[in-house]
């Protein structure tokens, strides 16, 4: 579904992502794990058209090359980004936030259907439909960020550190929902520092180290790898 070749992201003389290639098949959860500054966010931003990529980079989504598209065009193709830090609209209600996510659709019936789906997945958001976004708890804001991305009715989600700053029990809830989305047929690329959780729900994993992929394979294998256990799983 997503095929990335020779991804390079440079910030002046700093290499954010240093020539990586990876793929995500339809229906998979693939995780990119790595320490601070490894290049995880830079990778997701490049996929969404928010970072400039190298001249040799190819990013194919459902057979189409994304590297020349704008972020708006990329979302309209069905690739949705949930950025780090739950960037919701703080002064808007839950419902208004969801409606903002529906900008790719003009059809009221589709918007209604997508909203019902979001509320089925996140009943807590339904209860808080009229609450102002900025007053939601951290976990609820993360739910809202994911729900808003679902409003476009896209086919693949890019999740940037959904567990960041959340209590373990809330993280569990968010990861349950990610698995639920996979069951519904969503394809997911999950960037995480919480390697333990990410590897427990992913099908496959890539380990990023200073902009390069140092290891890749089935998530269970990566989780059992000695190096990974020492560096990322606190073993
Ligand atoms: P974290 O888990 O801390 O968010 P990350 O793996 O997502 O880290 P990136 O944010 O992609 O890492 O950063 C990769 C490298 O690129 C880092 O060295 C970072 O300092 C650098 N970098 C990221 N964004 C910029 C920018 N806008 N300008 C300059 N350097 C940047």
């Amino acid at each position: 579904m997503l095929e990335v070749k020779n991804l390079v992201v440079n910030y002046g003389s700093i290499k954010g992502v240093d020539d990586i290639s990876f793929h995500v098949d339809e229906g998979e959860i693939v995780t990119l794990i790595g320490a601070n500054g490894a290049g995880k966010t830079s990778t997701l931003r490049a996929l969404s058209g928010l970072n400039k990529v190298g001249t040799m980079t190819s990013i194919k989504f459902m057979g189409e090359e994304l590297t020349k598209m704008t972020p708006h065009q990329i979302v309209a193709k069905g690739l949705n980004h949930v950025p780090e830090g739950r960037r919701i609209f703080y002064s808007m209600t839950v419902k208004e936030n969801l409606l903002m996510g529906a900008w790719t659709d003009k059809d009221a019936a589709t918007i209604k259907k997508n909203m019902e789906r979001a509320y089925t997945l996140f009943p807590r958001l339904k209860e808080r439909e009229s609450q102002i976004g900025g007053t939601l708890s951290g976990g609820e804001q993360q739910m809202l960020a994911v729900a808003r991305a679902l409003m476009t009715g896209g086919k693949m989600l890019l999740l940037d550190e959904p567990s960041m700053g959340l209590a373990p029990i809330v993280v569990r809830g968010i990861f349950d929902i990610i698995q639920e989305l996979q069951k519904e047929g969503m394809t997911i690329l999950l960037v995480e520092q919480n390697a333990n959780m990410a590897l427990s729900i992913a099908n496959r994993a890539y380990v990023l180290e200073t902009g390069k992929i140092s290891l890749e394979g089935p998530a269970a294998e990566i989780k059992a790898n000695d190096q990974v256990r020492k560096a990322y799983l606190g073993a």
Side-chain angles (χ1 to χ4, degrees):
M1 185 167 231
L2 180 77
E3 177 88 51
V4 179
K5 287 198 178 133
N6 307 108
L7 177 62
V8 170
V9 178
N10 288 325
Y11 301 105
S13 59
I14 296 169
K15 283 191 167 142
V17 182
D18 189 8
D19 197 7
I20 66 169
S21 297
F22 64 94
H23 69 276
V24 183
D25 293 333
E26 189 167 358
E28 272 192 313
I29 297 179
V30 169
T31 185
L32 278 183
I33 58 170
N36 287 115
K40 304 181 299 295
T41 297
S42 301
T43 299
L44 290 196
R45 288 178 55 86
L47 300 181
S48 295
L50 297 166
N51 273 346
K52 208 165 159 267
V53 297
T55 49
M56 301 301 281
T57 301
S58 163
I59 302 169
K60 280 214 166 109
F61 177 62
M62 296 171 58
E64 280 190 273
E65 184 62 46
L66 299 188
T67 43
K68 301 280 183 293
M69 291 188 197
T70 64
H72 279 68
Q73 289 169 324
I74 293 172
V75 174
K77 293 281 169 204
L79 185 61
N80 303 131
H81 191 154
V82 182
E84 200 173 16
R86 316 160 205 142
R87 303 221 184 97
I88 58 160
F89 299 103
Y90 291 104
S91 55
M92 291 184 181
T93 65
V94 166
K95 188 173 180 185
E96 286 163 348
N97 264 277
L98 292 178
L99 288 173
M100 291 299 282
W103 61 269
T104 51
D105 250 304
K106 302 272 176 291
D107 173 37
T110 312
I111 293 174
K112 188 161 178 273
K113 195 184 92 218
N114 286 338
M115 189 162 298
E116 275 165 11
R117 172 167 169 252
Y119 283 148
T120 307
L121 273 165
F122 300 97
R124 201 193 276 229
L125 293 182
K126 172 78 185 157
E127 288 163 21
R128 286 165 172 73
E129 200 174 40
S130 309
Q131 192 171 327
I132 298 293
T135 66
L136 297 172
S137 74
E140 289 159 0
Q141 287 183 17
Q142 184 63 61
M143 290 176 198
L144 182 55
V146 175
R148 192 182 56 191
L150 294 174
M151 288 298 292
T152 61
K155 300 182 176 62
M156 179 164 179
L157 276 184
L158 306 173
L159 297 175
D160 197 350
E161 306 227 12
S163 76
M164 195 170 58
L166 301 179
I169 185 162
V170 181
V171 173
R172 184 69 259 171
I174 297 278
F175 276 65
D176 284 347
I177 286 161
I178 297 172
Q179 284 185 297
E180 194 57 43
L181 287 170
Q182 181 186 34
K183 279 190 204 131
E184 280 191 10
M186 186 68 80
T187 305
I188 294 158
L189 179 59
L190 169 67
V191 154
E192 263 298 340
Q193 274 199 55
N194 188 337
N196 201 16
M197 288 294 279
L199 290 171
S200 64
I201 64 162
N203 301 105
R204 287 187 305 112
Y206 295 86
V207 180
L208 261 185
E209 269 175 41
T210 52
K212 287 189 175 298
I213 290 173
S214 59
L215 204 64
E216 62 181 274
E221 244 170 57
I222 301 285
K223 204 175 176 189
N225 179 286
D226 269 350
Q227 239 176 302
V228 172
R229 283 162 51 81
K230 285 198 192 95
Y232 304 105
L233 302 174

